[in-house]
Amino acid sequence: MAQAITAPNSTDSSVAPKVRRLVGKPAPAFIVTTLDGKKVSLTDYKGKALLVNFWATWCGPCRQIAPHVEAVAGE
């Protein structure tokens, strides 16, 4: 089951220690639904290079980077 992950507030001094604890650890298992409705799991890509990019349609920088991410992905 997919878990909701909230972005940390960059001004929160408690964020850095929490992030350091995650560095070098496996990503938690999750399942997401693609734009075309397909469910994919992180475990589907075990042993393969994978770029996970969480973004929002209202996010200006996210929208600017999207064409570049698609180009790298070969879309």
Side-chain angles (χ1 to χ4, degrees), residues 18-56:
K18 293 175 186 174
V19 171
R20 278 195 291 271
R21 286 193 300 255
L22 299 174
V23 173
K25 303 282 170 82
F30 61 87
I31 298 170
V32 296
T33 303
T34 63
L35 292 175
D36 61 358
K38 178 182 173 189
K39 294 216 184 273
V40 292
S41 170
L42 183 61
T43 59
D44 295 339
Y45 297 93
K46 187 172 183 172
K48 298 178 183 176
L50 179 66
L51 168 66
V52 178
N53 183 17
F54 294 99
W55 59 278

